[in-house]
Amino acid sequence: MHWAHKDLLDVSDLSTGDVERIFEAADSFLEINRRPVKKVPTLKGRSVVLFFAEPSTRTKTSFDMAAKRLSADSFSLSKSMSSLTKGESLKDTVLTLQAMNPDAIVMRHGVSGAAQFIAERLNCSVINAGDGWHAHPTQALLDAVTLRRAWSGDFGGKTLLILGDIAHSRVARSNVNLLTRLGVNVRLCAPRTLLPPKVETWPVEVYSDLNKAVKDVDAVMCLRLQLERQQDGLLPSLREYSREYGLGKRHLLNAHGGAVVLHPGPINRGVEIASELADMGESLILDQVESGVATRMALLFLFLTRKDQGGERV
């Protein structure tokens, strides 16, 4: 079965069958990543541009490692190193990159819709590595790969709590979209100032009391608190936020036995999650990082070989 998609802008682009195919490919690449020799020739001769207009450690390094382990050539470009700082438009910057004939551009940008803007103008594949508050599809996919492993492949009937700054989180939006479609019951918990408008229309349960929200859940995903939100007046103080919404060991006592903890990083230890909890056996934070490389290998493989498989541009 060919891969029909040219671009990955959000998880809503993917059917359930597409997601299952990504899971299967990620499983295969996860096994390769655990071998003594981790490099395969699958994408030899292909090239990937990593264009990150926002700072990133995990996502950028993960994509870079994924490309190199598939033997693709990867090239990194940041906003500060590009002609954007000289006043060049985003359109002209990416058209210049395309003229060098890469097979894919992986882009992170602070403006929602930036990935779609360039995807509509480029012939090569565009993979959204996070745009504004809109979407972070590869994070949602790697989170699902991580939970699938923890739950032995069974999402049905499981309950996940997403805790923290929901309003400004592209990770929360993409995870709600994907995990609810896979059958996970998703809860959100945050101060009312950090909940998005019209959250009541989302397919989730919404809480402002962490003690109630965590009851009988199978997993908790903490979100990074952007510290500038305190300056924006959305938080009374970090100490009060940590006291009311910082996840600690005591909260997991009300969750289901074997409940696990996730965090997309970077972590503010002692603010959104207790430091000891981040390092405990229930923490899947480093498993997420491992799944991230395998998931991005799967995505690069599927998108960069779509023409070899007879795929159509959509």
Side-chain angles (χ1 to χ4, degrees):
M1 185 174 69
H2 68 258
W3 185 255
H5 305 280
K6 167 184 167 284
D7 308 303
L8 177 59
L9 306 180
D10 196 2
V11 288
S12 57
D13 300 338
L14 304 172
S15 68
T16 302
D18 293 331
V19 174
E20 288 293 336
R21 193 168 178 196
I22 292 168
F23 287 165
E24 292 171 6
D27 286 345
S28 174
F29 289 122
L30 184 65
E31 186 274 327
I32 289 174
N33 287 340
R34 291 175 174 175
R35 295 177 184 173
V37 178
K38 304 171 180 62
K39 194 160 186 171
V40 292
T42 308
L43 296 181
K44 187 174 182 179
R46 311 295 175 98
S47 53
V48 179
V49 174
L50 308 176
F51 180 27
F52 278 66
E54 276 190 334
S56 170
T57 301
R58 287 164 181 76
T59 305
K60 185 177 179 182
T61 305
S62 182
F63 267 112
D64 195 18
M65 189 168 290
K68 286 181 167 61
R69 287 188 175 172
L70 293 170
S71 300
D73 298 311
S74 61
F75 305 89
S76 295
L77 180 67
S78 66
K79 182 177 181 179
S80 62
M81 296 170 59
S82 75
S83 292
L84 290 172
T85 59
K86 300 177 181 177
E88 186 176 61
S89 69
L90 176 62
K91 175 183 174 181
D92 286 336
T93 297
V94 296
L95 287 176
T96 300
L97 293 174
Q98 177 176 261
M100 301 176 192
N101 295 314
D103 295 285
I105 292 180
V106 177
M107 190 178 81
R108 169 169 290 188
H109 200 282
V111 176
S112 298
Q116 180 173 348
F117 176 82
I118 71 164
E120 291 171 350
R121 289 160 175 79
L122 302 187
N123 295 323
C124 69
S125 290
V126 174
I127 297 178
N128 183 7
D131 62 328
W133 301 348
H134 169 236
H136 197 342
T138 68
Q139 180 68 45
L141 287 164
L142 77 86
D143 289 338
V145 167
T146 305
L147 287 170
R148 180 171 173 265
R149 289 165 55 199
W151 292 341
S152 301
D154 187 9
F155 292 101
K158 299 293 186 182
T159 300
L160 167 74
L161 169 63
I162 302 179
L163 171 65
D165 184 358
I166 310 295
H168 306 93
S169 175
R170 55 197 175 205
V171 173
R173 284 170 172 80
S174 289
N175 265 297
V176 168
N177 187 322
L178 179 60
L179 293 174
T180 55
R181 280 199 287 144
L182 294 173
V184 178
N185 302 310
V186 177
R187 298 176 182 175
L188 305 178
C189 182
R192 294 193 182 280
T193 52
L194 295 181
L195 288 170
K198 299 182 180 180
V199 69
E200 66 277 5
T201 65
W202 293 22
V204 299
E205 299 174 43
V206 181
Y207 295 82
S208 290
D209 184 329
L210 175 55
N211 293 309
K212 294 179 180 177
V214 78
K215 184 174 174 52
D216 296 333
V217 301
D218 299 286
V220 182
M221 179 183 295
C222 299
L223 300 175
R224 183 177 74 88
L225 181 67
Q226 298 178 40
L227 301 181
E228 60 269 29
R229 300 306 168 207
Q230 186 180 0
Q231 299 171 354
D232 294 341
L234 299 177
L235 297 172
S237 70
L238 289 181
R239 177 176 296 181
E240 183 171 334
Y241 177 87
S242 177
R243 185 174 64 243
E244 298 295 328
Y245 295 98
L247 188 72
K249 288 178 64 176
R250 69 185 187 282
H251 297 112
L252 289 191
L253 297 176
N254 293 321
H256 276 155
V260 294
V261 177
L262 301 95
H263 193 305
I267 302 172
N268 294 314
R269 288 177 179 262
V271 178
E272 61 251 19
I273 185 171
S275 185
E276 59 177 352
L277 190 55
D279 299 327
M280 288 177 59
E282 293 85 350
S283 170
L284 298 182
I285 295 171
L286 295 181
D287 298 74
Q288 291 173 274
V289 177
E290 183 183 36
S291 296
V293 178
T295 303
R296 285 158 179 145
M297 289 173 75
L299 293 168
L300 291 175
F301 166 72
L302 290 168
F303 281 88
L304 270 64
T305 63
R306 74 186 192 284
K307 293 179 181 176
D308 304 340
Q309 305 166 47
E312 300 294 330
R313 178 179 175 179
V314 297

